[in-house]
Amino acid sequence: MIPTEPIGSVPRPNALIDAIEALGDGTNPQLEPLYDAAIEETVRLFEATGSPVITDGEQRKYHNFWTYSVEGLENTSPDGFRIPFAAGHVRRMPRLTGGPFRYRRYADRFLQQAQRHSALPIKQAVISPSALSLMYPNEGLPDYSREEFIEDLINEHVTEVRRCFEKGAHSVQIDFTEARLAVKIDPSGALLASFIDLNNLALARLTDAERSRIGVHTCPGGDRDSTHSADVPYSALLPALFQLNVTNFFLSLAGERDRVGALEIVAASLKPAQRAFVGVIATIDPRLETPEVVRDRVLEAARHIPLDQLGTTDDCGFAPFCDDKSTSRELAFAKIRARVEGTVLADAILGEA
Amino acid sequence: MSENPEELQLRTAALKNIEAILNARQRAERDLMAAKAVLEKRTEELQQQRERFEVTLASIGDAVITTDVEGRISYLNAVAENMTGWHLTEVQGRPLLDAFHIINEETRTVAENPIAKVLTSGEVVGLANHTALISRNGVEVSIEDSAAPIRSPQGNVVGAVMVFHDVSRRRKAERALRASEERLRAVFSQAALGIAVAGLDGHFLEANAKVSSILGYSIEELRERTFLELTHPDDVAETEVQVRRLLDGEIKSYELEKRYLRKDGRSIWSNTTVTLLRKETGEAEQLIGIIQDITDRKQSEEQLSRLAAIVEFSDDAIITKTLDGIITTWNPGAQRIFGYSAAETIGNPVTMLIPDNHLNEEPGILARLRAGERIDHYETIRRRKDGTLINVSLTVSPLKNAAGQVIGASKIARDITAQKRAEEIIRDQADVLELLNATGKSITSKLDLQNVLQTVTDTARQLSGAKFGAFFYNVIDEQGEALALYTLSGADREAFEKIGFPRNTPIFGPTFIDASVVRSDDITRDARYAALSPADSISDGDPMVRSYLAVPVISGSKAIMGSLLFGHPDVGVFTERSQQLVIGVAAQAAVAMDNARLYEAAQREIASREIAEAALRETDQRKDEFLATLAHELRNPLAPIRQATLISMSAAATDEQKRWSHEVITRQVRHMSLLLDDLLDISRITRGTLELRTEMTELAAVVDAAVETSRPTIESKHHALSIALPREPVRFAADPLRLAQVLSNLLTNAAKYTDPHGSIRLRATAEAGAVEVSVLDNGIGLSADALPAVFTMFSQVKSTQDRSEGGLGIGLALSKGVVELHGGTLEARSAGPGKGSEFIVRIPRRVVRTEPPASAAPVAAEPAFKRRVLIADDNRDAAESLAMLLEMDGHSVTVVHDGIEALASIEASRPEVALVDIGMPEVDGYEVARRVRGDTRNQQILLIAVTGWGQETDKTRALAAGFDLHFTKPVEPTQLIELLRAELPSG
C-alpha cells in the first residue's frame, strides 16, 4: 500500500479568521471556543476524506507555520526579516531582541487537542531550526552570542520533537520551506548547506528510531495561492536536501513545471532507507484534481521511484498562514479526498503490476 | 544573485549564522571524537573481558554457546565444540541449529530451539526434559541445561547464552531405575495375587487391580476404607490378634484364611499374608498384604465334602471300577442294595453282581466307557448276595485322570424293583381308566334313558367278568310315584326272576340304603346271605350265584339312583380290580342317567313352550282379527248416520222422513255407544280397574232390565223367550247394572246365534249359597273344542266367521269378567254344533247392608227454571250442538272456546251453571274451576266438569279443583236437561 499523508494546514473557518482579525491577536482567550470548534470540525472532515493519517489542520498555529512557537515572546520585535512572495505580498518575521532564546509554545499542545477528537494516526508539523535561525538580528545581540543562540535553538527544536513523540504523534514533519528560499537567495548553495548542517545538528541528538519517524517538507512556499521560490529549480535543491538525516521527504511536485525532471533528480538523490512522498495535489491551484488525475501522477512518479520508497502527499499546506482565505475549506478537503482516492486507484494498478 | 533588498538582507543575516553553525558543528564533532575514544577504550576493555570470559568458558565442564539477537552463533566453548562436533570458526555467524541439533529422546522429534525461545520471550528457559543432542558425527548425547538472554546495559536483549552438559550416564541410570520401577509396578498391578499396602490405621494406601477385583471396590473406594471394615465380622477378631502380634514384633508376618465382604455384599474366602514394613529407624510404617481369592477352592472343598456325604448316605449304590471291571470303591448304598460289604467286593470283578444271562452286557459297557461315553439310565437285572434278582437302573460315567484319559468308571446303581412294580400298577390303572373312559363316552353319548341303562348293564357285566348282571334303578313317574325297574344282561327276565334279588335283604339292601359296595367271593358262605330265609335265597339246588358284586349308582346330588348287581356261578370271580371297574362304570352311569333325565325334562319343557307359543300366536291372530272387526263395527253405523243426516237436511224431505232420519241417527249412535262402552269395560276388566257398585239387588229387576235391553234383538229374529224365576223375591249383593249387562249379553248372543223363530229360555234359581241364572237356546251350538275358548277375548270372530251377527266378540269375555268380579262363575255348555248352547251364571249370595234407594224426582215435562248457562269447550261442534239443545229447552246459553274466555264470561255475566271442558288451551278446566272458586262472588255457580276422562281419580281431581259435578263425554243430553230442569244443588 502506498502511504499517503497530508502536509498539515487547512484553511481556518472564516468565522475564526474574522474573529482573529477583529481582535487583532490570535492568542486572545476569547478565541478559545472558536479554536475548539474549528479543530473538532477539521478533524471530523479530515476523517471523512479517508486519509489514513490526519492533522489538526494547524488551526491553532498563530500566526503561521513559521512563527507559531515564538509568537508573543517578549524578547522579540515584529520587525524582522521580510519574505517576499511572487504574488507581491510580504510576510515578516519577528526579530530576537535578547537572549536567551526559548519557545513560547511547543506544537505538542496542538496535537493533544486534536487527539481528543480522533483515534486516527495524527501527524504533527514543527518548524525547522534553520527557519527560526533567521530571527537572530544581523547586527548581533550584546549579551547573547550567535553561538549561544544556535545552541538554544537546537535544544528547543529537539525538545519540541521529543514532546510530540511523547504525546503520541504518529510522525513529526519538519517544515523546511526556507530550503528553496535559501537557494534562491544564495545560489552558491552555501546557505542551504548551512541550513542542512544546522538541522542535522539537531537531528543528531535524536535516536535512530525517532529519526525513522521524522520527515522533512520543502516547497516553494505557498501563501495566498502564491510562492516565494517556485522559480528555483529542484536540481539546485534536492541533491543537498537528501543529505538531511531523516527518513521521509515530503516534496511539492504537482505544481512543478517539470515534474518528470524533478522526479528524475529525486530518483537519483534518494538513499536506500529514504522515502519520497511526492506532491500529487497542487494546493495553490484552485482546480480540484480528480482521483484519476491523482492516480496518473502517482503512476508517473512510480515510473521513477521504487514503489517501496514512494508515498504521496499534498504539495504544501492549504493555508500555512492563519489569515489565508484564498482556498476554501471545502476545496481543501475535496483535494485531500482526491489524493487519498487517487493513491488507492494507483496502488491497485501498481499492486496488480 | 537576486537584487531584491529584502532577500539581500535575509541572505546577509543567514550567512552570518553559518559561522556559528560551523562552530556548533565543530563542537559536535569534537564531542563525537571524544566519545569515540571512550568507546574504543571500553571496547578494548570489553575485549579483555571477553577473552577472560572465553578462557573461563573454555575451562568449565559445561558446554556454552552464545548467539546474537538474531540467534546466530557467536561463541562455542571447547566443551560445546566437543559435544557438537563443530569448531567455532565453522559455525560463527551461522544459525544455532546448524550446530546444535536436539531432539526429544522419547518422541524422536526435533526439540524446540531454546535460544529462539529466549530471544522471543526474554526469559531464562531450561531445556525440555528428555532432550538429546545429535553431534555432527551422529552421536546422540543426553543433555540438560538452560538458556538465558544477554542484555545490553540498557536492558535490551542483544543475544543469548546456552549452557548444557552431558547427562547421558545419569539419564541411563534414571531410565534403568524407571524401568525397574515400571517392572515392579507392572508386577504389582498385574500380579495374579492381590497386593495391597495399608497404613497402620488399616486404611488402604495402595492396591493393585487384583485386590480391586477380589473385593469389588475401586482403588479410590478402597483408600477410603480399612481392611478391617472389609473383613467378614466372624474373622475380625482373629485378624486384629494377628495385626497386634505383628505390630508388637512377635511375628514378622502372618497368613490367614479369612473372609472379606465384597462391595456387592458377597462374602469371599481369601488366603491373606500380611507383612509389616518398618522404616530404617525400625519404626513400623506400613502393612503389605498379599490376598489370594480361594473362594473357589473353599467351595470345591465344601462341594467335595458334600459329595462325600452324598456318596456315603446315598440310597443308590455308588461304585467305581477299573476299565478291567475290578471294583475299586463301594459305598454303604451298594451294601444295602447288593448285600455285600466293601471288604467283600473291592478288588473283585464287578461280574460278581451280574446274573449269568446278563454277563454279555459288561464288555459292551466297558467298551463304551473306554470311548469316553457315558451310559444313562441303563435298566437291567443284577443279583444280590442272597441270589435274588433285582431291577436296577445304571448310570455309568467314565473316570478320567488329569490328562483326560479314561482310567475307570463310576457307576450309580439304583434299585428300581419297586418302581417297576408301581409302573405295572399304573399301566394297569391306565388301562382301566382308558376302558372306563371309552365306556363313559359310549354311555354318555346316549340320551335315551333306557338305552343308557342297558349299555351300562352290559358294559359293567363285561368288565367285571360276571355271568349275568342287573341294574335296579328308581324312577319317578308323571304322577310323582317312585317305581323300581331293572335291566338285565347275560340272563333273560324269566331266568332272572328265578334267581331273585330281594331288595330288602342284608346283602342286597346296603347298596340302596347307605350306598356301600358289597362284594363276596362265595355268597353261599357269606354270613349275611346265610341269615336269609329260604324264600329270600338266591337259588336252590346248584347255585347260579357264588361270586357276588353289588355297586350303588349315585347321582351328582348324592341320591342313590340305583344299583348294579353281578353274579357268577364260580367262586372268587370278582376282584378288587373288577370292583373298581364297576364303580367307575357306576359313576359314568350316574352322569349318563342325569343327562338322560335332564334331556327328557328339556324335551318336555320345549314341548310345553311350543304349546304356549302356539296359544300366544293364536291370541295374537285373534286380536288382529278383532281389530279388523272393531273397525268394521265402528264404521257400520256411520253410513246410515250420514245418509239420515243428508235426508234430514234435504229441503225435499217430508216431516216423516226427517223423523225417521232422527230415529236412525239416535239408534246408530246408541249402537256405537254400546260398542264403545263394551270396549271400555273390557279394558277396565283387563287392567283390573272395573269397579262394581255393589248393592242389595233384586234378581227380578236385573232380569227385567236385561230382557228390556236385549228385547229388540230377540224380537227382530222372532225368537220365543221364556223366563222362569223363583217365586219369592231373591235379593243378593251385586252391581245390578253390570249383572243386567251380563244377562243382556247372554240373551243377545242367544238371539244372534239362533236361527229365526228359535227358542230362548232364561231360568233363574236361588239357593242358600248362590244365585244361578241359565240362558239356554236351540241355536248353532258349540263344538267341544270351541267350548274352552268361547270366553277368550275376541273369540267370536273366528268361531262365527261365516255368520257374524255383529258385535266385537268380547261380550262373553266381558261377561265372564263381570261375573268373576262378583266372585261367581260363567259356564258354557253345548251338546255340539247345531245342538244349542247354555250359559250358566253363578253368583254367590252375599248380603250387604244398604239403605233403600231414594225415589227419583219426577222429571217434569217442562223446565221449571230458565237457567243462564255458560258452555266452555274448544270442540266447537260439541259446544254449539249442546248449546242448541239447551236453548231449545228454554235456557239462556253463552258459548266460549277456551279457559280465558270462560273466566271473562263468568266475570261478566255470572251464569248459574257453567259446563266446562277440562282439556282446553291456555287455561284448562281445572284452573278455571280453581279461579272461579277463588272469587267469593262465584260460590253459587254450579260448576260441571265435562270430560272424556271418566275414572274415579278423574272425578276426584275435578271435585278437588272446585267442580260440583263430573260428566263423562259424551254427555247424555237428557241427563243434562233433567239436571237443569230440577232445582240446582247449592254450588
Side-chain angles (χ1 to χ4, degrees):
Chain A
M1 188 74 193
I2 298 171
T4 183
E5 293 183 13
I7 292 301
S9 64
V10 171
R12 284 69 169 169
N14 286 341
L16 174 61
I17 295 172
D18 294 345
I20 292 170
E21 188 179 358
L23 291 170
D25 178 10
T27 61
N28 191 314
Q30 292 179 40
L31 294 169
E32 287 302 316
L34 289 172
Y35 277 131
D36 287 345
I39 290 168
E40 182 176 358
E41 186 193 61
T42 301
V43 167
R44 181 170 54 77
L45 293 171
F46 229 130
E47 286 184 332
T49 63
S51 182
V53 178
I54 65 172
T55 71
D56 68 342
E58 301 185 357
Q59 303 293 291
R60 289 210 63 148
K61 275 189 177 173
Y62 183 80
H63 172 272
N64 55 66
F65 74 103
W66 195 318
T67 63
Y68 67 91
S69 59
V70 296
E71 192 73 38
L73 277 178
E74 288 183 357
N75 56 345
T76 61
S77 69
D79 56 345
F81 297 115
R82 297 167 190 272
I83 298 172
F85 280 79
H89 67 284
V90 172
R91 295 288 188 183
R92 189 160 195 171
M93 291 188 62
R95 178 174 61 88
L96 190 69
T97 57
F101 175 75
R102 296 289 184 272
Y103 282 8
R104 180 155 188 193
R105 60 187 64 81
Y106 299 103
D108 62 285
R109 61 174 295 201
F110 311 141
L111 173 71
Q112 279 186 294
Q113 204 165 355
Q115 283 172 330
R116 287 202 290 269
H117 303 297
S118 178
L120 284 179
I122 299 177
K123 171 182 183 174
Q124 183 59 52
V126 297
I127 190 61
S128 65
S130 53
L132 290 177
S133 70
L134 297 174
M135 285 178 66
Y136 196 85
N138 216 350
E139 60 278 13
L141 291 170
D143 299 323
Y144 190 53
S145 70
R146 203 174 287 274
E147 282 73 16
E148 287 172 314
F149 167 70
I150 293 297
E151 181 62 25
D152 286 341
L153 175 61
I154 291 170
N155 282 336
E156 285 297 278
H157 175 76
V158 169
T159 299
E160 184 176 43
V161 171
R162 287 227 163 102
R163 284 175 66 120
C164 288
F165 280 130
E166 285 166 6
K167 297 292 165 50
H170 165 262
S171 57
V172 172
Q173 173 186 284
I174 298 169
D175 286 340
F176 189 30
T177 63
E178 71 278 11
R180 204 161 176 176
L181 183 65
V183 178
K184 182 181 175 184
I185 61 177
D186 180 16
S188 71
L191 183 56
L192 174 62
S194 169
F195 279 0
I196 288 172
D197 274 349
L198 177 58
N199 291 336
N200 272 341
L201 281 172
L203 289 167
R205 297 190 185 184
L206 297 169
T207 67
D208 287 343
E210 287 168 333
R211 281 194 295 269
S212 71
R213 292 160 65 193
I214 295 175
V216 167
H217 165 56
T218 188
C219 68
D223 181 26
R224 299 181 182 172
D225 290 349
S226 172
T227 61
H228 52 58
S229 54
D231 48 344
V232 175
Y234 259 149
S235 57
L237 171 65
L238 291 179
L241 185 69
F242 284 105
Q243 297 302 315
L244 273 170
N245 193 12
V246 294
T247 304
N248 301 311
F249 294 84
F250 295 87
L251 308 170
S252 69
L253 192 66
E256 286 298 316
R257 286 189 291 270
D258 180 11
R259 280 204 306 272
V260 172
L263 283 168
E264 287 173 348
I265 297 168
V266 170
S269 307
L270 194 63
K271 295 176 184 173
Q274 294 175 335
R275 184 187 291 271
F277 286 78
V278 298
V280 292
I281 295 293
T283 46
I284 58 173
D285 188 340
R287 292 172 297 176
L288 173 63
E289 291 87 349
T290 64
E292 290 72 25
V293 167
V294 172
R295 177 197 63 199
D296 294 342
R297 287 174 182 172
V298 178
L299 296 177
E300 180 183 61
R303 283 195 283 275
H304 301 278
I305 299 172
L307 207 53
D308 59 352
Q309 291 181 279
L310 180 63
T312 64
T313 185
D314 308 318
D315 268 4
C316 189
F318 287 91
F321 292 81
C322 74
D323 53 358
D324 189 352
K325 288 184 177 178
S326 59
T327 303
S328 71
R329 280 166 71 82
E330 292 72 20
L331 178 62
F333 283 116
K335 281 178 171 267
I336 291 169
R337 181 187 296 276
R339 164 171 58 81
V340 172
E341 293 177 355
T343 302
V344 171
L345 289 175
D347 191 73
I349 293 168
L350 292 169
E352 287 176 1
Chain B
M1 177 81 58
S2 168
E3 296 302 319
N4 186 320
E6 301 288 345
E7 290 180 1
L8 184 62
Q9 193 177 8
L10 184 59
R11 185 175 70 238
T12 304
L15 289 175
K16 281 188 177 175
N17 281 343
I18 290 177
E19 188 178 349
I21 293 168
L22 277 174
N23 289 337
R25 180 175 167 181
Q26 284 169 357
R27 276 197 308 276
E29 284 173 355
R30 275 199 303 274
D31 291 345
L32 185 64
M33 290 301 290
K36 193 173 175 184
V38 169
L39 181 65
E40 285 173 354
K41 188 180 177 198
R42 288 285 301 157
T43 304
E44 187 179 352
E45 287 171 0
L46 280 173
Q47 185 63 29
Q48 288 171 357
Q49 278 183 3
R50 181 184 173 90
E51 285 173 6
R52 280 198 302 275
F53 183 61
E54 286 180 2
V55 168
T56 304
L57 290 179
S59 60
I60 65 171
D62 287 351
V64 178
I65 298 177
T66 63
T67 72
D68 63 13
V69 74
E70 302 293 332
R72 289 186 292 268
I73 294 170
S74 55
Y75 176 76
L76 270 76
N77 71 353
V79 179
E81 286 179 336
N82 188 36
M83 286 179 70
T84 61
W86 291 94
H87 193 268
L88 174 62
T89 55
E90 293 176 292
V91 291
Q92 196 163 33
R94 287 168 60 179
L96 174 71
L97 296 184
D98 284 2
F100 189 70
H101 302 288
I102 51 173
I103 61 166
N104 184 301
E105 284 183 308
E106 293 182 344
T107 64
R108 311 305 295 174
T109 54
V110 174
E112 187 181 9
N113 177 359
I115 292 293
K117 195 171 177 183
V118 167
L119 293 175
T120 305
S121 67
E123 304 284 335
V124 175
V125 295
L127 287 181
N129 289 329
H130 315 302
T131 306
L133 173 69
I134 311 289
S135 71
R136 185 180 190 176
N137 56 9
V139 174
E140 184 175 326
V141 179
S142 297
I143 60 168
E144 179 186 90
D145 221 319
S146 62
I150 300 171
R151 294 185 183 275
S152 67
Q154 291 75 33
N156 298 323
V157 175
V158 295
V161 58
M162 181 170 60
V163 181
F164 56 98
H165 56 266
D166 183 352
V167 294
S168 296
R169 192 172 295 172
R170 198 183 81 202
R171 200 68 64 74
K172 188 175 177 183
E174 285 173 355
R175 276 199 293 272
L177 181 62
R178 198 158 53 242
S180 171
E181 282 179 352
E182 282 171 2
R183 279 195 299 277
L184 280 174
R185 171 62 56 185
V187 168
F188 175 75
S189 62
Q190 294 167 15
L193 296 175
I195 304 172
V197 180
L200 298 182
D201 62 354
H203 270 95
F204 286 96
L205 301 174
E206 198 58 60
N208 67 357
K210 187 64 180 179
V211 173
S212 182
S213 159
I214 291 172
L215 299 178
Y217 288 94
S218 68
I219 306 297
E220 290 70 25
E221 289 170 332
L222 284 172
R223 287 196 183 111
E224 295 170 358
R225 289 164 174 78
T226 68
F227 58 81
L228 279 177
E229 286 171 2
L230 303 186
T231 297
H232 191 285
D234 294 347
D235 296 333
V236 167
E238 179 60 21
T239 304
E240 285 177 332
V241 167
Q242 295 297 334
V243 170
R244 177 47 48 202
R245 292 178 66 205
L246 206 57
L247 293 174
D248 290 348
E250 286 180 32
I251 51 174
K252 290 185 176 177
S253 67
Y254 68 82
E255 183 176 355
L256 263 186
E257 287 197 352
K258 58 177 283 190
R259 283 158 294 176
Y260 287 102
L261 289 175
R262 280 174 53 85
K263 186 180 180 183
D264 59 15
R266 281 196 294 122
S267 170
I268 56 110
W269 273 101
S270 76
N271 179 293
T272 299
T273 304
V274 178
T275 306
L276 180 64
L277 272 187
R278 292 183 184 277
K279 297 179 184 171
E280 291 179 357
T281 58
E283 186 187 351
E285 186 181 17
Q286 292 173 336
L287 296 164
I288 294 187
I290 297 173
I291 304 168
Q292 182 181 10
D293 185 352
I294 57 168
T295 307
D296 289 346
R297 196 194 82 199
K298 281 282 184 186
Q299 286 174 347
S300 296
E301 286 172 3
E302 283 176 19
Q303 202 169 358
L304 276 175
S305 170
R306 279 198 298 274
L307 284 173
I310 289 169
V311 170
E312 183 70 15
F313 298 107
S314 172
D315 285 337
D316 294 335
I318 302 175
I319 304 163
T320 57
K321 60 182 181 182
T322 65
L323 285 180
D324 299 328
I326 303 301
I327 295 169
T328 50
T329 66
W330 184 262
N331 77 335
Q335 183 168 353
R336 276 193 299 277
I337 290 175
F338 293 107
Y340 294 102
S341 68
E344 290 172 306
T345 54
I346 292 174
N348 292 317
V350 76
T351 49
M352 65 187 287
L353 306 174
I354 304 175
D356 292 345
N357 57 345
H358 284 272
L359 281 173
N360 59 346
E361 293 172 356
E362 188 61 7
I365 289 173
L366 290 174
R368 289 172 67 183
L369 287 171
R370 284 192 193 95
E373 201 176 324
R374 176 185 158 100
I375 296 141
D376 271 332
H377 305 302
Y378 179 78
E379 293 186 1
T380 182
I381 308 293
R382 288 294 180 261
R383 184 172 56 212
R384 286 172 50 84
K385 183 180 180 182
D386 61 9
T388 56
L389 299 178
I390 54 172
N391 292 92
V392 292
S393 169
L394 300 180
T395 297
V396 193
S397 307
L399 282 177
K400 296 180 181 175
N401 63 12
Q405 295 167 322
V406 179
I407 56 169
S410 163
K411 174 156 72 176
I412 299 172
R414 174 166 296 176
D415 182 353
I416 57 169
T417 308
Q419 180 188 330
K420 284 282 176 190
R421 202 175 299 130
E423 283 175 5
E424 280 175 17
I425 292 169
I426 288 169
R427 242 189 334 268
D428 191 43
Q429 286 178 343
D431 291 343
V432 170
L433 285 175
E434 196 174 343
L435 198 58
L436 283 176
N437 188 33
T439 306
K441 281 182 184 171
S442 167
I443 295 170
T444 52
S445 65
K446 296 176 168 61
L447 291 171
D448 172 54
L449 184 58
Q450 193 57 43
N451 199 350
V452 167
L453 296 172
Q454 191 60 57
T455 304
V456 168
T457 313
D458 293 342
T459 305
R461 185 180 67 79
Q462 288 165 14
L463 289 174
S464 65
K467 180 80 175 175
F468 60 88
F471 187 177
F472 283 77
Y473 57 96
N474 303 320
V475 294
I476 307 294
D477 69 5
E478 290 175 354
Q479 282 72 43
E481 300 293 327
L483 298 176
L485 305 175
Y486 61 86
T487 57
L488 293 173
S489 178
D492 58 24
R493 191 162 291 270
E494 188 180 354
F496 187 71
E497 295 290 346
K498 283 181 185 171
I499 300 168
F501 272 96
R503 296 183 70 168
N504 298 319
T505 59
I507 197 155
F508 190 65
T511 53
F512 281 97
I513 295 162
D514 61 6
S516 57
V517 175
V518 177
R519 175 159 65 91
S520 175
D521 285 343
D522 186 354
I523 200 166
T524 58
R525 295 176 184 277
D526 194 294
R528 292 167 289 189
Y529 176 73
L532 296 180
S533 65
D536 294 334
S537 66
I538 289 176
S539 64
D540 47 5
D542 275 346
M544 285 183 68
V545 180
R546 295 290 289 277
S547 292
Y548 173 75
L549 176 62
V551 174
V553 178
I554 301 165
S555 74
S557 58
K558 306 298 179 195
I560 299 172
M561 305 168 80
S563 182
L564 283 162
L565 309 178
F566 300 97
H568 198 284
D570 296 339
V571 173
V573 170
F574 303 122
T575 62
E576 177 66 25
R577 179 172 179 271
S578 55
Q579 176 179 324
Q580 291 302 321
L581 281 171
V582 173
I583 287 172
V585 172
Q588 303 277 8
V591 173
M593 285 174 73
D594 271 343
N595 287 348
R597 285 177 175 172
L598 285 172
Y599 178 74
E600 286 181 0
Q603 290 298 107
R604 283 197 296 276
E605 174 65 21
I606 289 167
S608 161
R609 194 173 299 157
E610 282 175 351
I611 290 168
E613 284 174 358
L616 203 59
R617 277 197 300 277
E618 190 181 349
T619 303
D620 205 36
Q621 187 181 351
R622 283 209 300 272
K623 189 183 285 181
D624 290 343
E625 290 166 350
F626 165 75
L627 288 173
T629 307
L630 176 61
H632 176 260
E633 288 297 320
L634 287 175
R635 202 184 301 117
N636 271 346
L638 291 179
I641 288 171
R642 191 183 303 118
Q643 289 155 6
T645 304
L646 290 173
I647 292 167
S648 68
M649 291 168 64
S650 168
T654 64
D655 287 345
E656 178 60 24
Q657 285 171 323
K658 285 180 180 174
R659 187 184 56 77
W660 175 84
S661 298
H662 293 159
E663 285 175 354
V664 167
I665 291 168
T666 302
R667 188 162 56 246
Q668 294 300 333
V669 167
R670 189 183 298 119
H671 179 65
M672 286 180 74
S673 293
L674 286 174
L675 282 175
L676 293 173
D677 285 345
D678 280 355
L679 269 180
L680 286 172
D681 285 345
I682 200 71
S683 166
R684 287 171 189 143
I685 284 176
T686 305
R687 290 185 285 116
T689 57
L690 186 71
E691 294 167 1
L692 295 182
R693 295 179 179 178
T694 305
E695 58 191 48
M696 287 312 293
T697 304
E698 171 58 46
L699 177 61
V702 173
V703 172
D704 285 351
V707 170
E708 187 59 28
T709 303
S710 52
R711 186 178 298 281
T713 310
I714 295 169
E715 289 181 350
S716 68
K717 296 188 73 173
H718 311 290
H719 295 311
L721 174 66
S722 65
I723 297 171
L725 298 176
R727 288 184 191 161
E728 298 301 321
V730 176
R731 289 173 61 78
F732 61 107
D735 181 336
L737 290 177
R738 290 294 178 190
L739 202 54
Q741 185 183 0
V742 169
L743 296 180
S744 165
N745 199 0
L746 295 177
L747 289 168
T748 305
N749 271 357
K752 280 182 181 173
Y753 300 109
T754 301
D755 292 336
H757 304 287
S759 164
I760 298 171
R761 291 165 57 190
L762 184 149
R763 188 180 60 200
T765 59
E767 296 173 1
V771 173
E772 186 176 292
V773 181
S774 158
V775 176
L776 180 68
D777 63 51
N778 60 350
I780 62 174
L782 290 161
S783 62
D785 58 344
L787 272 177
V790 77
F791 297 113
T792 307
M793 199 80 77
F794 324 128
S795 64
Q796 171 266 349
V797 178
K798 177 73 179 169
S799 60
T800 61
Q801 197 168 22
D802 297 334
R803 47 178 306 153
S804 174
E805 294 294 331
L808 296 172
I810 57 176
L812 285 175
L814 178 58
S815 297
K816 191 167 191 285
V818 169
V819 170
E820 286 173 350
L821 273 178
H822 281 85
T825 59
L826 174 57
E827 183 187 350
R829 297 179 184 170
S830 174
K835 294 181 177 175
S837 307
E838 182 180 16
F839 288 83
I840 302 160
V841 177
R842 288 191 193 85
I843 303 289
R845 289 190 71 174
R846 287 177 296 162
V847 176
V848 294
R849 186 178 295 279
T850 57
E851 293 301 320
S855 56
V859 176
E862 290 294 325
F865 305 96
K866 302 291 185 186
R867 305 290 183 193
R868 284 179 289 107
V869 179
L870 171 71
I871 297 175
D873 194 337
D874 61 335
N875 184 329
R876 289 175 180 272
D877 287 346
E880 298 295 346
S881 59
L882 185 58
M884 205 177 296
L885 278 172
L886 296 184
E887 281 170 350
M888 287 166 64
D889 204 35
H891 303 294
S892 167
V893 181
T894 304
V895 174
V896 296
H897 300 302
D898 62 43
I900 301 289
E901 287 178 352
L903 287 168
S905 178
I906 289 169
E907 179 64 25
S909 61
R910 308 273 174 217
E912 292 168 274
V913 178
L915 295 159
V916 182
D917 179 27
I918 293 298
M920 287 189 296
E922 305 294 341
V923 176
D924 66 12
Y926 296 128
E927 184 59 25
V928 170
R930 276 192 286 272
R931 293 193 197 176
V932 168
R933 291 299 186 220
D935 188 339
T936 53
R937 296 171 298 174
N938 298 331
Q939 300 307 313
Q940 296 302 315
I941 298 173
L942 181 67
L943 279 177
I944 301 172
V946 182
T947 170
W949 311 108
Q951 299 297 302
E952 279 303 310
T953 51
D954 300 322
K955 291 178 182 175
T956 304
R957 191 176 171 200
L959 297 179
F963 283 105
D964 296 308
L965 294 169
H966 180 280
F967 285 175
T968 304
K969 285 183 178 179
V971 178
E972 182 57 52
T974 53
Q975 186 185 4
L976 189 58
I977 287 167
E978 283 173 12
L979 176 70
L980 294 181
R981 284 179 179 176
E983 188 170 359
L984 293 177
S986 149

